[in-house]
């Protein structure tokens, strides 16, 4: 019968035949459960395997056993077997040997043992106790005397050869490949094309690099020294071309030893349920499209419901097809990555997400992928959008925000007044504007929901299930693989029932009562998922907007940058570097920021700002600036004054060696009165700040903003962030504080950061 992975011994130490027994056992003594460890003795291409019991059983007649080389006990190599085969014959080999060494790609992978681990015998316990205090044997007699007045030291034996641990699944790579349906245990030759209409197994595992068969374009490694706890990763496969039998499974990455399959996707019909293959690899049964050409799979990895890595797998179907001029037939490209290492202690900081949305696409079209939950409770779906339809949805949502901000859906023309300026309008007028704008914004938000989320849920019943799951406050990830310039304003999604043909629509009375009470909205019924008008199509409640009800994060995938930041450490008081333009309404804005417990330093001239950046390690970097466009293409951040302006473009940070890889600050861009530079162009700075400057994240805006909004939002956010709220919570609370003042425009702010990112005081 096939060997199960649980039968393989993984606790191995690679040693040379010259290593002294005492040195090897002393190393074993320092490990947990020392009798479970095996010594893998390299005999020059062949291997012998010894356990503590094996050595203990042979030392009775040996003088000074701890100082014997291991070759004394390991002169005979043990039989071997290949892990890629079914290994039935390995069971027979155990009849004549206590161990069978299992190989992968001719390298040690594990040991099959006929000796179950038991309590150590008295001989083994004595040997281990002796080894714990073992010292190299003194060569020759000890000479007592003087030589030029200095005692002669005993001559000791040279230090024994170092014990090198066998790399027992410690170089862990993501491996992907395909196998035929008839031979699921053997990867297809990457040079062999897939055939149209045929069924295959797409296979994924994390283990030693399988260089001969993996189709990973740039294999990514999980560093063993980073592992300090066990984690479960959900793997979800999407495709518009392959037919997929079961599109999800999960794997467990333990502290040590091999990864293992926790929840299987597909299983070959003829394979026994206890097959090692099913423990080692996730198998997805897929059927290739009927016509020759190219086909794709999207393979995504989630932890706690948050997308961590995503790969695009491309395969050529039929003879004469290839992906490139080099003749590549299959490849897997990691094109979205928040955590290159997938280190458990890195991922363990991630709080459970209610929903993860991914947007990716090719020229002319886009796909949305939705995953909600984890493990066996996943909600999974995808939907295809023509590019023009997606652009229209984004444009209409931003148009509703512009209409609220200055009264027209067109870009601000430097003339229209800000409709929520508290110095121009009374509270009654602001509340009247707010009611009108919330109803108009709900119309566009409901259209976003109907066209994206409702469709993504996968049918009427599934849509209701997802909507109910999203009722209470939670955490949402918006993952954008392509460009921050096409970010869906996810905060604008409105999921309360909305009928566009209802004319006499009103604002939720429960919300109005909460507003009039002066209480914090975040603790009021509507914003806790208890709005009585949620299903009333004639009533609009701001709690229906995701931005008011959920914490949202849009961490930027830094393929060339560091791990996603989950915290920003500080000692004393956190430092804020400020680069600013001297707006007329600046007033005491910076003094108020300093009053929240920040050290602040600020500059409005370019050279001084560069000196400030290079000479400090800030926790926050605040741009209170203009955005402009040079030569109709290059986005710039403008500081200084109207008389003496200064500019930064995305290349200036690398040129001036500005990088905070240790500190990882959060960057906020408040680009006020921006006309020449659209906010989505300004967000090209997100890539620069995350990848080059190594920022923890960036907070920007989706439309032009005005000074009263910029100051009110940033001051509330900075105070909340300083006192311990994470980014997602602080952004949500800041939106609600503005709403409490009769201003719905907190929804324009977009956090390109992990929602749980927070300031943490170093111990």
């Amino acid at each position: 019968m096939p060997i199960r992975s649980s039968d393989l011994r993984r606790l191995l130490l690679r040693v040379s035949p010259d290593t002294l027994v005492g040195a090897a056992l002393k190393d074993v003594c320092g490990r947990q459960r020392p009798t479970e460890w095996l010594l893998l003795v390299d005999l020059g291409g062949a291997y012998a395997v010894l356990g503590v019991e094996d050595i203990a059983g042979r030392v009775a007649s040996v003088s000074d056993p701890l100082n014997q080389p291991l070759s004394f006990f390991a002169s005979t190599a043990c039989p071997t077997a290949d892990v890629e085969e079914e290994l039935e014959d390995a069971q027979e080999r155990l009849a004549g040997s206590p161990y069978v060494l299992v190989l992968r790609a001719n390298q040690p992978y594990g040991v099959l043992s006929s000796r179950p681990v038991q309590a150590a015998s008295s001989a083994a316990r004595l040997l281990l106790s002796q080894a714990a205090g073992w010292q190299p044997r003194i060569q020759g007699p000890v000479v007592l005397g003087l030589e030029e007045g200095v005692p002669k030291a005993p001559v000791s034996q040279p230090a024994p050869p170092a014990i090198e641990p066998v790399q027992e699944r410690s170089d862990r790579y993501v491996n992907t490949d395909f196998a035929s349906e008839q031979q699921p245990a053997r990867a297809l030759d990457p040079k062999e094309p897939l055939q149209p209409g045929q069924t295959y197994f797409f296979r994924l595992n994390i283990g030693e690099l399988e260089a001969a068969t993996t189709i990973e374009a740039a294999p990514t490694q999980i560093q063993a020294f980073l592992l300090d706890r066990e984690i479960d990763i959900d793997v979800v496969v999407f495709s518009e071309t392959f037919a997929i039998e079961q599109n999800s499974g999960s794997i467990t990455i333990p502290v040590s030893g091999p990864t293992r399959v926790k929840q299987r996707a597909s299983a070959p019909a003829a394979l026994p349920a206890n097959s090692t293959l099913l423990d080692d690899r996730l198998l997805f049964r897929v059927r290739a499209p009927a016509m020759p050409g190219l086909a794709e799979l999207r393979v995504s990895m989630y932890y706690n419901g948050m997308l961590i890595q995503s790969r695009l797998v491309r395969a050529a179907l039929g003879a004469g097809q290839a992906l490139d001029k080099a003749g590549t037939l299959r490849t897997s490209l990691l094109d979205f990555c928040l955590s290159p290492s997938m280190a458990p202690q890195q991922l363990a900081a991630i709080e459970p997400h209610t929903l993860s949305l991914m947007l990716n696409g090719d020229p002319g079209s886009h796909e949305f992928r939705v995953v909600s939950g984890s493990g066996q409770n996943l909600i999974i779906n995808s939907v295809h959008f023509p590019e023009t339809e997606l652009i229209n949805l984004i444009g209409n949502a931003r148009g509703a925000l512009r209409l609220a901000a200055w009264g027209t859906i067109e870009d601000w023309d430097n003339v229209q007044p800000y409709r929520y300026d508290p110095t121009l309008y009374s509270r009654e007028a602001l509340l009247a504007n707010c009611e009108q704008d919330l109803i108009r914004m709900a119309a566009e938000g409901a259209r976003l929901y109907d066209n994206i989320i409702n469709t993504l849920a996968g049918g009427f019943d599934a849509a209701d299930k997802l909507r109910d799951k999203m009722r209470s406050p939670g955490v949402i990830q918006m993952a954008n693989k392509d460009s921050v310039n096409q970010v869906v304003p996810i905060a604008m999604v409105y999921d309360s029932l909305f009928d566009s043909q209802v004319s006499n629509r009103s604002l939720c009375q429960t919300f109005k009562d909460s507003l009039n009470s002066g209480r914090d909205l975040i603790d009021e019924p509507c914003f806790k998922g208890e709005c009585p008008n949620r299903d009333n199509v004639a009533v609009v409640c701001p709690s229906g907007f995701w931005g008011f009800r959920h914490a949202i994060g849009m961490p930027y995938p830094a393929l060339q940058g560091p791990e996603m930041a989950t915290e920003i450490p500080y000692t004393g008081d956190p430092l804020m570097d400020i680069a600013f333009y001297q707006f007329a309404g600046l007033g005491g804005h910076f003094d108020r920021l300093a009053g929240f417990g920040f050290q602040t330093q600020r500059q409005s001239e370019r050279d001084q700002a560069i000196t400030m950046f290079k000479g400090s390690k800030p926790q926050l970097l605040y741009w209170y600036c203009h955005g402009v466009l040079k030569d109709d293409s290059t986005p710039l951040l403008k500081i200084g004054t109207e008389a003496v302006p200064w500019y930064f473009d995305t290349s200036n940070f690398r040129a001036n060696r500005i990088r905070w890889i240790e500190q990882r600050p959060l960057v906020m861009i408040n680009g006020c009165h921006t006309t020449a530079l659209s906010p989505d162009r300004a967000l090209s700075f997100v890539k620069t700040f995350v990848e080059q400057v190594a920022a923890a994240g960036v907070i920007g805006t989706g439309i032009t903003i005005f000074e009263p909004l910029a100051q009110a939002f940033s001051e509330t956010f900075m105070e909340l962030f300083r006192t311990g709220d994470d980014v997602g919570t602080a952004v949500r609370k800041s939106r609600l504080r503005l709403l409490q003042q009769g201003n719905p425009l907190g929804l324009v702010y977009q956090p390109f950061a992990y929602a749980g990112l927070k300031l943490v005081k170093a111990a």
Side-chain angles (χ1 to χ4, degrees), residues 693-742:
V693 182
V698 179
I699 296 178
T701 62
I703 66 168
T704 293
I705 60 171
F706 297 81
E707 288 179 80
L709 174 61
Q711 293 187 14
F713 185 91
S714 61
E715 287 172 17
T716 303
F717 173 83
M718 296 295 189
E719 181 180 16
L720 292 167
F721 193 56
R722 173 67 179 89
T723 54
D725 280 346
D726 58 43
V727 163
T729 302
V731 167
R732 182 189 173 214
K733 286 183 178 179
S734 299
R735 290 170 175 155
L736 290 175
R737 298 272 179 91
L738 279 169
L739 184 62
Q740 207 154 12
Q741 299 166 22

Side-chain angles (χ1 to χ4, degrees), residues 287-534:
R287 188 176 70 251
M291 300 299 294
L294 303 180
E296 296 180 344
L297 292 168
R298 167 65 56 185
V299 184
S300 297
M301 295 182 171
Y302 297 83
Y303 178 72
N304 262 352
M306 181 179 179
L307 179 63
I308 301 301
Q309 290 189 1
S310 188
R311 289 168 165 75
L312 180 63
V313 176
R314 306 183 70 214
L317 305 177
Q321 304 293 326
L323 302 180
D324 52 34
K325 293 181 180 180
T328 304
L329 297 180
R330 285 187 292 285
T331 185
S332 173
L333 177 66
L334 179 67
D335 59 6
F336 180 94
C337 184
L338 296 177
S339 177
S341 73
M342 287 200 299
Q345 80 274 29
Q346 167 78 12
L347 300 185
I350 295 174
E351 58 187 290
H353 279 53
T354 311
L355 185 72
S356 174
L357 291 164
M358 181 183 186
L359 174 65
N360 67 273
D362 295 314
S365 66
H366 292 271
E367 282 77 41
F368 267 98
R369 321 291 187 184
V370 60
V371 170
S372 180
S374 60
Q376 298 184 10
N377 299 313
L378 287 173
I379 297 174
I380 304 168
N381 221 309
S382 63
V383 65
H384 175 86
F385 271 93
E387 186 171 25
T388 54
E389 184 176 347
L390 180 63
I391 290 174
N392 287 338
L393 284 170
I394 295 173
N396 290 340
R398 287 179 176 162
L401 292 170
R402 294 189 188 103
L403 194 62
W406 56 82
T408 173
I409 62 173
E410 305 300 329
D411 288 336
W412 187 60
D413 64 2
N414 249 332
V415 175
Q416 298 104 326
Y418 175 46
R419 294 179 66 246
Y420 287 91
D421 189 336
T423 65
L424 299 179
Y425 302 95
S426 66
R427 176 168 173 79
E428 290 72 21
L430 292 177
L431 290 175
N433 284 348
C434 184
E435 180 168 354
Q436 180 186 41
D437 290 330
L438 283 171
I439 292 173
R440 290 190 299 205
M441 289 161 61
E444 294 303 332
R447 189 171 289 112
L448 265 179
Y449 183 80
D450 285 338
N451 283 274
I452 299 176
I453 311 303
N454 219 13
T455 306
L456 273 173
F460 191 88
D461 292 339
D464 277 354
K465 182 180 178 182
L466 180 60
R467 179 171 176 264
D468 186 63
K469 187 172 183 178
M470 300 294 293
R471 180 173 190 142
S472 298
V475 183
I476 297 174
Q477 175 196 22
M478 181 71 224
N480 193 325
K481 182 189 75 65
D482 297 318
S483 170
V484 295
N485 295 342
Q486 291 184 330
V487 172
V488 174
I490 204 70
M492 278 280 288
V493 167
Y494 184 83
D495 67 0
S496 292
L497 297 186
F498 187 95
D499 185 343
S500 62
Q501 299 307 304
V502 172
S503 56
N504 296 321
R505 192 173 283 107
S506 62
L507 202 60
C508 175
Q509 186 60 48
T510 305
F511 162 68
K512 287 183 176 180
D513 293 342
S514 295
L515 199 63
N516 292 331
S517 74
R519 295 187 297 265
D520 197 337
L521 291 179
I522 201 167
D523 296 320
E524 291 298 287
C526 292
F527 299 96
K528 294 170 65 176
E530 301 165 6
C531 178
N533 294 304
R534 177 174 166 82

